[in-house]
Amino acid sequence: MAPVLSAHLHVTAMLVQLLVLPGLAAAGKLLVVPVDGSHWLSMREVLDSLREKGHEIVVVAPEIGLHIKPSENYVMKFHPVNFTQEDLDEHFQAFLQDALQEGSSLERFLKIYQHMKRLSDMAISNCARLLYNKSLIQYLQESNFDAVLTDPVLLCGQILAEHLAVPSVFFLRGMPCSLEFEATRCPSPPSYVPRMLTDLSDNMSFLQRVKNLLFEIPNTFLCDFAFQPYEKLASEFLQRDVTAPDLLSHASIWLLRLDFVLDYPRPLMPNMIFVGGVNCVPKKLPQQVQDSNRDFSGFIPQEDL
Ligand SMILES: *[C@@H]1O[C@H](CO)[C@@H](O)[C@H](O)[C@H]1NC(C)=O
Ligand SMILES: *[C@@H]1O[C@H](CO)[C@@H](O)[C@H](O)[C@H]1NC(C)=O
Ligand SMILES: *[C@@H]1O[C@H](CO)[C@@H](O)[C@H](O)[C@H]1NC(C)=O
């Protein structure tokens, strides 16, 4: 296990340099497996500054996408998919239309569910096309990357990282069902860590704690269901039985786009680093704030979506 540990330490050191010590970092070679949509808009900001510091970046993505387009800033490796741009745009528009409608009927819920299922099926089929593309995988293997940077919400990047035996760095806002805390065995006591959609704070009465606990139950089923196709794909491709929490637990570093200004205090694991609410392109501060020559940036929510 020593080589694995030393690889992890190496990557940790590299990342700390990348993030904290501009100018001191040695150039590294980074494989990026992004998730399309707003996820990409946030990640692109990071890649641009990594590139400015002289790091070599290779991005692997499906050839049809929403925001991920050919760019001269990085080496982009696109792989073929089995749908057209029109198919994707159509599905996505229909999804947005139903998702942004008023009201909460069962019919609307089912429609949204169907759209999400279809988009998720597309993502899984893309992932399989990437993993089973022999020439592309061989190119990636021969490139000898120092690290894989990925948004783990689709798990494809982590499956690839394990196949290439390259340590992975996750960059995300959060996982469905708070799977990041389960996978890392991070304490998440329901007595004071409020669950998603509960509208609770970290200071709960007894009954609120009961509610918080109850909100956790559906998560178990939903996430099992959502990640099953990836578990199946990963188990076939890596030729061993793996679960989603297994895969996630192998991340070297979690860069979380969270901030205790916006999020309640909670326990974290040592490899979880809060990088602030980096979401899409940072907003420009109002002129009078800039003029006042003080740093208010942490107090302005940068959620664009
Ligand atoms: C694999 O990906 C490359 C691009 O990276 C593409 O040119 C090639 O057609 C793909 N092969 C298959 C079998 O899809
Ligand atoms: C694309 O491929 C997947 C399997 O990889 C299949 O389930 C799906 O129906 C295909 N889609 C189209 C539009 O052919
Ligand atoms: C928690 O909430 C209770 C009731 O609302 C309040 O009395 C108490 O001061 C709060 N504790 C903290 C630490 O904010």
Side-chain angles (χ1 to χ4, degrees):
M1 285 290 99
V4 175
L5 182 63
S6 91
H8 283 208
L9 288 176
H10 174 73
V11 165
T12 310
M14 185 177 116
L15 257 147
V16 169
Q17 284 180 351
L18 297 185
L19 292 168
V20 194
L21 303 171
L24 291 184
K29 209 165 172 190
L30 193 64
L31 171 60
V32 180
V33 188
V35 169
D36 207 346
S38 58
H39 300 254
W40 168 246
L41 301 182
S42 305
M43 191 177 260
R44 201 173 54 183
E45 291 291 303
V46 176
L47 299 187
D48 285 342
S49 55
L50 287 175
R51 189 181 64 97
E52 276 166 22
K53 291 176 189 162
H55 300 286
E56 207 181 318
I57 297 169
V58 176
V59 180
V60 175
E63 66 185 359
I64 305 286
L66 297 168
H67 291 303
I68 305 179
K69 302 286 175 204
S71 157
E72 285 177 2
N73 291 352
Y74 339 101
V75 177
M76 311 263 319
K77 285 285 173 184
F78 289 105
H79 59 87
V81 297
N82 70 344
F83 50 83
T84 65
Q85 188 74 52
E86 288 72 40
D87 289 338
L88 179 65
D89 290 348
E90 214 171 274
H91 284 319
F92 198 72
Q93 283 308 322
F95 166 61
L96 281 186
Q97 208 160 32
D98 285 327
L100 297 178
Q101 240 171 34
E102 297 282 324
S104 56
S105 61
L106 180 65
E107 192 195 341
R108 177 161 166 261
F109 174 81
L110 288 177
K111 264 195 191 159
I112 292 175
Y113 170 79
Q114 274 170 357
H115 289 309
M116 289 179 76
K117 176 91 174 64
R118 203 171 309 157
L119 290 169
S120 154
D121 285 347
M122 282 173 156
I124 289 159
S125 138
N126 287 350
C127 182
R129 265 155 224 279
L130 161 61
L131 296 175
Y132 287 106
N133 182 325
K134 287 219 168 66
S135 59
L136 182 53
I137 292 290
Q138 191 184 353
Y139 161 82
L140 297 176
Q141 232 147 12
E142 287 164 0
S143 300
N144 289 321
F145 291 102
D146 295 306
V148 172
L149 177 69
T150 188
D151 184 322
V153 77
L154 293 183
L155 291 183
C156 201
Q158 181 55 26
I159 301 173
L160 185 56
E162 304 216 356
H163 179 70
L164 300 175
V166 173
S168 53
V169 177
F170 289 172
F171 179 74
L172 68 158
R173 172 84 201 169
M175 289 296 289
C177 322
S178 303
L179 215 53
E180 67 271 48
F181 301 116
E182 184 194 331
T184 52
R185 309 231 173 150
C186 180
S188 193
S191 54
Y192 90 101
V193 177
R195 301 306 189 236
M196 274 232 292
L197 307 177
T198 52
D199 277 338
L200 296 170
S201 78
D202 57 342
N203 179 11
M204 294 176 241
S205 66
F206 175 73
L207 280 179
Q208 288 173 327
R209 289 174 184 199
V210 174
K211 174 183 169 187
N212 203 33
L213 198 61
L214 291 178
F215 260 71
E216 190 141 291
I217 297 170
N219 277 353
T220 335
F221 307 111
L222 285 177
C223 266
D224 275 359
F225 181 67
F227 285 114
Q228 236 168 25
Y230 282 101
E231 293 176 343
K232 186 163 168 282
L233 177 61
S235 300
E236 278 168 11
F237 181 70
L238 299 171
Q239 302 194 339
R240 58 189 158 86
D241 278 342
V242 283
T243 65
D246 276 346
L247 284 168
L248 293 170
S249 74
H250 296 154
S252 294
I253 303 177
W254 296 74
L255 300 176
L256 296 168
R257 294 200 300 276
L258 301 176
D259 193 319
F260 282 143
V261 173
L262 301 173
D263 301 276
Y264 293 111
R266 55 155 304 133
L268 293 171
M269 294 311 256
N271 64 344
M272 292 179 159
I273 302 170
F274 276 27
V275 293
V278 186
N279 275 289
C280 303
V281 183
K283 281 207 178 98
K284 242 182 123 50
L285 296 175
Q287 198 57 44
Q288 68 269 32
V289 179
Q290 287 184 26
D291 290 347
S292 76
N293 198 24
R294 282 180 56 191
D295 185 14
F296 287 103
S297 55
F299 296 90
I300 300 193
Q302 296 184 342
E303 292 283 302
D304 275 344
L305 287 172

